[in-house]
Amino acid sequence: MKQRESRPGQKKTSGPAGEGRRDARAGRPPKPVAPAAARGSAREALAPVAAGRLLMTRTGERPVERVPVILESLGAGDFHLIDSGDGQKLEQYGPYRIIRPEAQALWRPSLAPQIWEKVDAVFTGDPDEEGTGRWRFPKAALGETWPLNLLGVDFLGRFTSFRHVGVFPEQIVHWSWMKEAVEKAGRPLKVLNLFGYTGVASLVAAAAGAEVTHVDASKKAIGWARENQALGHMEKLPIRWICEDAMKFILREERRGSHYDIILTDPPKFGRGPNGEVWHLFEHLPLMLDVCREILSPKAAGLVLTAYSIRASFYSIHELMRETMRGAGGAVESGELVIREAGLDGKTPGRALSTSLFSRWVPK
């Protein structure tokens, strides 16, 4: 929604999990097998939160595959991508026109330089995603926050030192899919939002009728999410806000026998939990997905994974998801999330800017 552009104060590891369930479709896999990450230094890093939990041996057919799938957004609500090029992107967030670094914009901008000059905010400083920088306001000094709306949900945009503004709009496509699934379910679905950040996805799900568990390791992110909830007068919606390491949470949920109908997981490439827990995507992702599989309900609607700033093909997470979901039926669709330029009017399609890899299991 890159490691994603680093989130302020986030000790990136969070999320709920559930007790190893016996899958009604395939039976609980018999022999646990130690993952590669459980050997050597990776085992030491994960030991504090996952001691004794090994990967399940999955049996049965792998789900049908749909590849490559490109999920594209032209923008929604108060956001659209105006133009991009020369390593930057020109975006509209509500009343503000913003310039931020974008390494994948290798081409020349389409719009004239004078349009790029008429902006409200420009992120400057260290363009490295791990670094911090500052905002420059060419017209007038702006406040730290301002109201935005996506998919009918109000939230706060915020100028942070990590160049992001509190929402990753490429995720609109996943949120729209989730919103439709919740609304069509005919029953309250339980949604787990791991690494939930500022809570926009959680608010979208809850507003559609879901019971939501939102997990993030950053107290600052949880506080921001609660601000967003209050901004939209959505305090009565059924959302549990949990500040905890993601792996710890889902392992405990697994032991408890908890189940969720939809799980969104958006892990960073590297991070630390609130108590120093270490997260390495390539080492710990197989186990995280394995636990998520165990806490999916027998009538689950989907499991969604997005991955930012990793040197890998989408096929790497696609094949991992198919192996994880062996015997569950359904399909795994994987590819990229892209945002298409929409011009000054927000309606004129231009070039597609790739933002992240994704893989999504659906029951049919």
Side-chain angles (χ1 to χ4, degrees):
M1 18 201 79
K2 321 177 216 11
Q3 200 162 345
R4 119 179 320 132
E5 298 166 310
S6 299
R7 299 166 178 173
Q10 182 167 10
K11 302 163 186 172
K12 305 167 183 103
T13 336
S14 48
E19 193 326 90
R21 72 176 171 87
R22 303 182 185 277
D23 195 303
R25 291 160 293 206
R28 188 183 192 117
K31 302 175 185 175
V33 175
R39 297 187 285 273
S41 61
R43 178 57 182 267
E44 294 171 8
L46 194 57
V49 295
R53 175 52 163 92
L54 303 179
L55 286 174
M56 298 291 181
T57 298
R58 304 288 175 185
T59 58
E61 295 296 320
R62 296 193 298 168
V64 171
E65 62 179 337
R66 299 171 187 156
V67 289
V69 176
I70 307 299
L71 297 182
E72 175 184 311
S73 172
L74 192 64
D78 288 340
F79 165 81
H80 69 271
L81 175 64
I82 300 171
D83 193 16
S84 61
D86 290 345
Q88 294 183 310
K89 53 187 175 184
L90 178 62
E91 305 165 289
Q92 191 77 42
Y93 282 97
Y96 299 145
R97 192 173 296 177
I98 294 171
I99 293 177
R100 294 191 292 165
E102 179 47 69
Q104 296 200 76
L106 302 175
W107 43 84
R108 300 283 301 276
S110 293
L111 300 179
Q114 52 266 39
I115 293 175
W116 281 73
E117 292 167 3
K118 295 178 180 179
V119 295
D120 300 286
V122 180
F123 185 86
T124 61
D126 186 352
D128 189 301
E129 291 177 352
E130 298 298 324
T132 60
R134 64 184 181 86
W135 290 90
R136 177 171 61 85
F137 305 107
K139 295 180 181 179
L142 301 177
E144 181 188 2
T145 65
W146 73 100
L148 291 169
N149 183 285
L150 285 179
L151 299 181
V153 167
D154 295 317
F155 62 98
L156 292 172
R158 180 174 264 119
F159 294 112
T160 75
S161 62
F162 292 84
R163 84 179 178 176
H164 66 84
V165 295
V167 64
F168 295 90
E170 61 269 26
Q171 296 278 358
I172 290 169
V173 288
H174 285 324
W175 302 342
S176 297
W177 164 83
M178 173 183 64
K179 183 175 185 289
E180 183 179 0
V182 170
E183 290 173 343
K184 288 184 175 180
R187 61 186 175 93
L189 296 188
K190 294 182 66 177
V191 172
L192 173 58
N193 187 11
L194 291 176
F195 308 91
Y197 192 35
T198 59
V200 181
S202 297
L203 293 171
V204 169
E211 299 173 6
V212 180
T213 298
H214 172 109
V215 181
D216 198 282
S218 167
K219 289 182 180 179
K220 188 174 290 187
I222 294 289
W224 191 345
R226 286 184 175 276
E227 282 186 80
N228 289 338
Q229 184 181 28
L231 180 68
H233 305 288
M234 304 172 80
E235 293 92 341
K236 293 185 179 180
L237 291 180
I239 304 176
R240 290 194 299 159
W241 303 105
I242 297 176
C243 183
E244 189 173 1
D245 174 79
M247 283 295 295
K248 272 189 175 179
F249 183 86
I250 60 175
L251 286 163
R252 189 171 66 251
E253 291 291 272
E254 182 181 30
R255 292 192 296 270
R256 288 174 172 172
S258 300
H259 295 122
Y260 296 90
D261 299 298
I262 294 176
I263 300 178
L264 306 178
T265 180
D266 187 14
K269 183 170 63 176
F270 172 82
R272 291 185 181 275
N275 297 309
E277 302 90 347
V278 177
W279 167 268
H280 291 284
L281 184 75
F282 286 104
E283 296 168 0
H284 302 155
L285 182 60
L287 180 58
M288 189 197 75
L289 283 184
D290 199 52
V291 178
C292 285
R293 159 75 188 268
E294 290 300 295
I295 63 174
L296 279 174
S297 71
K299 295 183 179 180
L303 170 59
V304 179
L305 166 68
T306 53
Y308 292 85
S309 289
I310 63 172
R311 295 181 179 179
S313 162
F314 73 84
Y315 264 110
S316 60
I317 59 174
H318 172 72
E319 296 295 3
L320 173 61
M321 184 70 82
R322 291 187 76 206
E323 289 296 326
T324 300
M325 300 307 295
R326 271 188 182 273
V332 171
E333 46 197 25
S334 308
E336 296 189 28
L337 302 184
V338 304
I339 296 178
R340 191 165 294 279
E341 296 168 346
L344 285 170
D345 61 1
K347 301 176 182 178
T348 306
R351 295 162 301 203
L353 183 63
S354 177
T355 62
S356 66
L357 310 179
F358 84 94
S359 186
R360 181 169 70 189
W361 172 82
V362 291
K364 59 181 179 179

